[in-house]
Amino acid sequence: MMRIGIVGVGAISGIYLKNITNMFQEIEVIGVCDLIRERAEKAVEEYNIPKLYEDMHELFADPEVDLVLNLTRPYEHFDVTMGALKAGKNVYSEKPLGATFEEGLELVKYAKEHNLLIGGAPDTFLGAGIQTSKKLIDDGFIGDVVGASAYMVCRGHETWHPDPEFYYKFGGGPMLDMGPYYITALINLLGPVKSVAGMSKITFPQRTITSAPHYGDIIDVDVPTYITGLMQFRSGVIGTIFTTFDAYVAEVPRIEIYGSKGTLSVPDPNTFGGPVRLYRAAGPKPLKGDPALIKPEPPKFQEIPLLFDYPDNSRALGLADMAKAIETGRARRASSDVTLHVIEVLTSFNKSSAEHRFVDMTTTMEPAAPMVQGLMAGVLD
């Protein structure tokens, strides 16, 4: 049983604590800390956690902590992860790896120089939906992949989130907030990105919070909230991505992959399940007068049964995978190679927009090995 120390017990921590406690059988939470002590106290009581630390430095110093789980806000990720690394701990971080590519690069460099490991969210690509999608692509169901598109469209978080301001500050915005799900899914389906181009803007310089407890507060927007990007993958595939906090609704797919023999509709990459929908192009037209083929059924999208485990909200799956990889010595699926490449892609769209040029990637990655099917629930290979 690998022992986890959690830094940050905010909104996202609930599903981690629930799944670590009730689903994943090879990891356990040994202690937590949070800047708001009451949050940590509540978690300790609700999930019967043995230790409550005064701060993250006390957690890092605990020899019983095998792996640090960083669930702080994006602009805090660097300091928390670096602090854990300097204390000799391996770290799994919520997305993104850092608020900038340079932060991510420094973290990975330090970890490698000191024989430490970093893993990170999102781990939704390990769920049944995207794993099924990858198998369909790899098995040739849509032929040779020629293109891809991804869309994340919403009107922002100030109408429902209890503390939405950080989404519009350094480390926030739709690309860094939601883009990690989409880019992580795309590179695991299609391989690494070679170069990108982007255009971005701040549509509304200020936002008014309409959710409790900050109803009526004004947010000054510091980061782009309307971002479009082009990606050339090393495989030759060309992809597009559009993320925004400025539009109310759109009738667009989450992710589509276009091939020489059909199209694959990939489920929302913020989820672990489906639906996965496959369109296969029609075969040759029937010969004139052939009675058996006079009225062939026109092709249409068909929903494909999910072929892998973990269709429900399984956050901490990547953490459990990392723990098992440390134990067995195999490669991690949600590794720092993946998270570093993702943060370089995400931040390069704004860089391209600001500099009016294509940006070549300096990092790369290899798509993770497929998940192993049919194991006991909560136990990884």
Side-chain angles (χ1 to χ4, degrees), residues 53-317:
Y53 302 100
E54 289 299 323
D55 56 34
M56 67 181 186
H57 302 292
E58 184 181 0
L59 185 154
F60 299 157
D62 186 350
E64 293 191 333
V65 172
D66 298 315
L67 181 58
V68 173
L69 174 57
N70 181 357
L71 299 184
T72 59
R73 290 169 291 191
Y75 62 84
E76 298 168 322
H77 285 179
F78 177 83
D79 288 340
V80 174
T81 297
M82 184 60 83
L85 292 173
K86 288 185 175 180
K89 303 293 187 182
N90 298 315
V91 184
Y92 185 94
S93 175
E94 247 304 321
K95 51 80 184 169
L97 176 61
T100 66
F101 171 59
E102 290 73 21
E103 285 187 352
L105 197 61
E106 186 175 347
L107 290 172
V108 172
K109 182 174 183 290
Y110 185 92
K112 290 183 177 179
E113 288 175 348
H114 293 81
N115 199 30
L116 295 167
L117 299 175
I118 302 175
D123 53 4
T124 47
F125 75 98
L126 301 177
I130 293 173
Q131 287 290 301
T132 298
S133 300
K134 180 169 175 56
K135 181 169 177 58
L136 291 171
I137 293 171
D138 292 348
D139 289 353
F141 276 80
I142 61 170
D144 297 326
V145 178
V146 296
S149 62
Y151 301 89
M152 196 298 296
V153 180
C154 74
R155 193 57 175 82
H157 296 32
E158 64 271 22
T159 61
W160 60 271
H161 197 282
D163 188 22
E165 185 172 9
F166 76 90
Y167 287 102
Y168 300 98
K169 298 299 181 179
F170 175 68
M175 190 60 79
L176 279 184
D177 175 43
M178 294 300 294
Y181 297 106
Y182 291 79
I183 299 301
T184 301
L186 286 170
I187 63 176
N188 275 283
L189 293 172
L190 305 175
V193 175
K194 180 181 179 181
S195 63
V196 308
M199 297 187 73
S200 62
K201 66 174 181 175
I202 297 175
T203 303
F204 307 109
Q206 291 186 321
R207 302 266 183 153
T208 301
I209 300 175
T210 58
S211 59
H214 298 288
Y215 182 89
D217 289 358
I218 303 297
I219 302 171
D220 291 323
V221 179
D222 298 338
V223 293
T225 52
Y226 193 105
I227 305 167
T228 61
L230 293 173
M231 297 165 285
Q232 183 181 33
F233 292 82
R234 293 190 183 277
S235 62
V237 172
I238 293 176
T240 62
I241 185 169
F242 170 44
T243 68
T244 186
F245 286 162
D246 300 339
Y248 287 100
V249 69
E251 293 183 338
V252 292
R254 300 290 187 173
I255 296 178
E256 283 187 344
I257 310 296
Y258 310 112
S260 59
K261 295 181 180 178
T263 295
L264 184 65
S265 178
V266 180
D268 183 350
N270 192 22
T271 66
F272 287 80
V276 175
R277 299 168 61 242
L278 174 66
Y279 175 97
R280 295 264 288 175
K285 292 183 179 180
L287 297 174
K288 185 176 182 180
D290 184 338
L293 297 173
I294 292 296
K295 293 183 179 180
E297 281 290 320
K300 59 182 178 181
F301 276 101
Q302 295 183 338
E303 187 166 340
I304 304 299
L306 298 181
L307 306 174
F308 289 81
D309 302 321
Y310 302 106
D312 301 316
N313 190 341
S314 303
R315 277 176 172 79
L317 178 55

